[in-house]
Amino acid sequence: QVQLVESGGGSVQAGGSLRLACAARGYRYVTYSVAWFRQGPGKEREGVAVIDSGVTATYANSVQGRFTISVDTVANTLYLEMNNLKPEDTAMYYCAASRISPCRGLGCFEFSGYEYRGRGIQVTVSS
């Protein structure tokens, strides 16, 4: 049974940093497409960052230059390093992974296009 389990969320002041982790159980992060999504209060879920087929990293304009997505294949963990956090980054964050790249179908930032999805973890940024 495949599980993706997020950790590392919490509360931080504006300008601070957090690193989210997504541990995979029953699944190996090897050349697959992985991504982070978020859903803020009263907002639709949006894509934050994706690594497509283990090669290319793409970011939403709102986090470009502040967030970094990476995969540690030894630890089998997906990360999202978040720096210079802003109150508008407050959201539930979700990790997702797929053996087949959704980028060629529904799109890199389509949550339903990923085979495996975590339950989410809260990030709150105060001003």
Side-chain angles (χ1 to χ4, degrees):
Q1 183 179 0
V2 175
Q3 282 187 314
L4 301 181
V5 181
E6 298 98 338
S7 62
S11 298
V12 65
Q13 288 191 328
S17 299
L18 283 174
R19 187 177 75 160
L20 302 183
C22 177
R25 300 171 183 171
Y27 176 83
R28 299 296 301 179
Y29 286 128
V30 178
T31 68
Y32 298 153
S33 294
V34 293
W36 287 95
F37 292 80
R38 68 184 181 185
Q39 186 166 16
K43 298 180 181 179
E44 293 187 354
R45 185 180 287 122
E46 62 175 350
V48 174
V50 61
I51 298 178
D52 181 28
S53 301
V55 177
T56 306
T58 303
Y59 299 91
N61 290 337
S62 58
V63 306
Q64 182 76 46
R66 300 188 298 122
F67 290 13
T68 302
I69 185 173
S70 63
V71 175
D72 183 334
T73 55
V74 175
N76 204 37
T77 301
L78 169 67
Y79 295 101
L80 184 68
E81 184 76 34
M82 306 184 294
N83 297 313
N84 190 22
L85 283 160
K86 303 176 181 180
E88 51 264 43
D89 294 319
T90 294
M92 186 73 77
Y93 283 73
Y94 302 85
C95 60
S98 184
R99 292 168 293 179
I100 300 173
S101 171
C103 298
R104 294 160 185 75
L106 295 176
C108 294
F109 285 154
E110 177 54 53
F111 193 59
S112 64
Y114 289 81
E115 291 181 89
Y116 310 117
R117 290 161 276 180
R119 292 187 175 185
I121 193 162
Q122 180 67 36
V123 171
T124 302
V125 184
S126 58
S127 57

